[in-house]
Amino acid sequence: MALGGPDTALRRAGRGGAAGTAAAPRRLTILGATGSIGQSTLDLVARQPGDFEIEALTAYSNVELLVRQARETGARLAAIGDPAFYGALKDGLAGTGIETAAGPEAVAEAAGRPADWVMAGIVGAAGLEPTLRAVRQGTVVALANKESLVCAGEFVQAEVRRCGTTLLPVDSEHNAIFQVFDFDQPERVARIVLTASGGPFLTWPRERMAAATPAEAVAHPNWDMGAKISVDSATLMNKGLEVIEAWHLFPVEREQIAVVVHPQSVVHSMVDYVDGSTLAQMGTPDMRTPIAYTLAWPKRMAAPTDRLDLAAAGTLSFEAPDLERFPALGLAFSALEAGGAAPAVLNAANEVAVAAFLDGAIAFLEIAGVVEETLSRGPQHPIGSLDDVLAVDRTARRIAQELTKR
């Protein structure tokens, strides 16, 4: 593995660490509290009264929900990313004693406040700086922001190692791999296999996909996710981003990462070993399971998820991904192979293209086209610093925005 080497933070975490040893109640910060991951996290916290305290909650613009969450949890701080909503936040929390703040820097500062555990749940490249601030605390970071590793995996992992942070994956696929990966014998792993539901358009011909609406694209058959991630699932770009994330998280080579389509979303991912064994982590599709795993790690806590009933589930099916109908996945593999600036370009272009699709500016099938063209025109040089990553992100977004203008 080129970036980070085999002695990754996850390998250290797999052998045991400091997480879970702090006396209750544990102090938590939730970045992206009003999103699906944040809400699921708070649902688990509410079911364990007395075990947790909320240090900080952040959101970008959903000020009404943030106010309600802060009041219900007694958070010490509530920060809103969009300064336009600061007045509403301050008024909504008046008289509570809860601190309020606004703006991107306020969100980043919230991430850096002392806490035992931080949920990095901000979607997109916007989560990079807050995730880094959380990592620099040197405690436990539950990573739901895959884009941080896609864009700047080398630098995030360098900070993880420098600060002695425990980084635990929240994405169901990476969390599944983490649970069945033998970190003491990584050389005995033949490959890791990420499963993909296939999204809402798995059986649609391209002619029908060409006319897909945003409402159809966000209607995921199994998972309850935000709009951006749901669209990524529909294009299979989400799985492509997860492939890049997995390469940064686990001590494997690029060719040891595979994807298989599994529409039932029961098997969340698998690890193949050199002796022919395959270990799989299974469960019902509910993000509270991987969140609970990271929240209680290295122990386990009760979660209100439905128990897996294989007899009721019946047949589980698997198939190879169709890269002709879903070219976004192939673009991600190509970006990983190219290295350098390519993954950051891929992510930036995809964020712009998905936003344009949700706004009705481009058609569904044009998303991958915008990403491919941006990759061909965008920066292709090596990345030498975090500033390089941010510069590449800005350039790629400018190119993609030009491509999405009618």
Side-chain angles (χ1 to χ4, degrees), residues 29-34 37-38 56-59 107 110-112 118-122 127 130-131 134:
T29 288
I30 302 174
L31 309 175
T34 60
I37 293 293
L57 300 175
T58 79
V107 171
V118 180
M119 169 57 76
I122 298 174
T131 298

Side-chain angles (χ1 to χ4, degrees), residues 158-247:
E159 287 298 279
V160 166
R161 292 189 293 271
R162 183 180 70 84
C163 300
T165 302
T166 297
L167 190 67
L168 300 174
V170 173
D171 277 344
S172 62
E173 297 81 4
H174 304 93
N175 188 271
I177 293 169
F178 179 78
Q179 293 194 45
V180 297
F181 194 102
D182 189 345
F183 289 95
D184 288 323
Q185 302 184 82
E187 73 281 359
R188 301 304 178 187
V189 171
R191 67 172 184 167
I192 58 178
V193 183
L194 303 173
T195 57
S197 70
F201 305 147
L202 177 60
T203 61
W204 287 29
R206 281 185 65 82
E207 294 76 15
R208 185 180 177 191
M209 291 165 65
T213 67
E216 291 170 325
V218 301
H220 197 282
N222 300 333
W223 297 95
D224 181 14
M225 305 181 293
K228 193 269 181 183
I229 298 177
S230 295
V231 174
D232 283 348
S233 179
T235 63
L236 289 195
M237 179 60 85
N238 195 48
K239 205 56 46 183
L241 297 176
E242 289 173 1
V243 165
I244 300 172
E245 179 184 11
W247 185 69

Side-chain angles (χ1 to χ4, degrees), residues 62-315:
N62 193 344
V63 67
E64 291 183 3
L65 180 54
L66 181 61
V67 166
R68 186 163 70 248
Q69 291 174 335
R71 283 180 169 272
E72 291 174 351
T73 63
R76 292 183 175 89
L77 169 70
I80 193 83
D82 188 339
F85 294 95
Y86 180 61
L89 178 66
K90 190 173 182 180
D91 291 344
L93 294 176
T96 65
I98 297 172
E99 298 175 53
T100 58
E105 180 57 27
V107 171
E109 289 180 358
R113 288 170 70 111
D116 299 309
W117 184 94
V118 180
M119 169 57 76
I122 298 174
V123 176
L128 174 56
E129 178 58 26
T131 298
L132 280 170
R133 293 282 188 98
V135 163
R136 287 168 182 153
Q137 289 189 84
T139 52
V140 180
V141 175
L143 184 69
N145 172 249
K146 64 177 65 66
E147 293 85 356
S148 292
L149 291 186
V150 171
C151 297
E154 178 180 3
F155 307 105
V156 173
Q157 289 288 34
E159 287 298 279
V160 166
R161 292 189 293 271
R162 183 180 70 84
C163 300
T165 302
T166 297
L167 190 67
L168 300 174
V170 173
D171 277 344
S172 62
E173 297 81 4
H174 304 93
N175 188 271
I177 293 169
F178 179 78
Q179 293 194 45
V180 297
F181 194 102
D182 189 345
F183 289 95
D184 288 323
Q185 302 184 82
E187 73 281 359
R188 301 304 178 187
V189 171
R191 67 172 184 167
I192 58 178
V193 183
L194 303 173
T195 57
S197 70
F201 305 147
L202 177 60
T203 61
W204 287 29
R206 281 185 65 82
E207 294 76 15
R208 185 180 177 191
M209 291 165 65
T213 67
E216 291 170 325
V218 301
H220 197 282
N222 300 333
W223 297 95
D224 181 14
M225 305 181 293
K228 193 269 181 183
I229 298 177
S230 295
V231 174
D232 283 348
S233 179
T235 63
L236 289 195
M237 179 60 85
N238 195 48
K239 205 56 46 183
L241 297 176
E242 289 173 1
V243 165
I244 300 172
E245 179 184 11
W247 185 69
H248 286 292
L249 284 174
F250 300 101
V252 296
E253 303 296 337
R254 294 178 178 89
E255 60 271 17
Q256 291 177 281
I257 306 173
V259 172
V260 65
V261 175
H262 170 50
Q264 295 81 19
S265 297
V266 169
V267 177
H268 298 302
S269 278
M270 298 169 277
V271 176
D272 292 343
Y273 288 90
V274 295
D275 62 359
S277 298
T278 295
L279 302 186
Q281 189 270 343
M282 307 169 70
T284 54
D286 190 323
M287 284 305 298
R288 289 176 296 182
T289 295
I291 294 170
Y293 184 83
T294 66
L295 190 56
W297 188 87
K299 301 178 181 179
R300 290 184 185 266
M301 63 183 286
T305 55
D306 293 335
R307 305 300 96 167
L308 177 61
D309 185 340
L310 287 174
T315 301

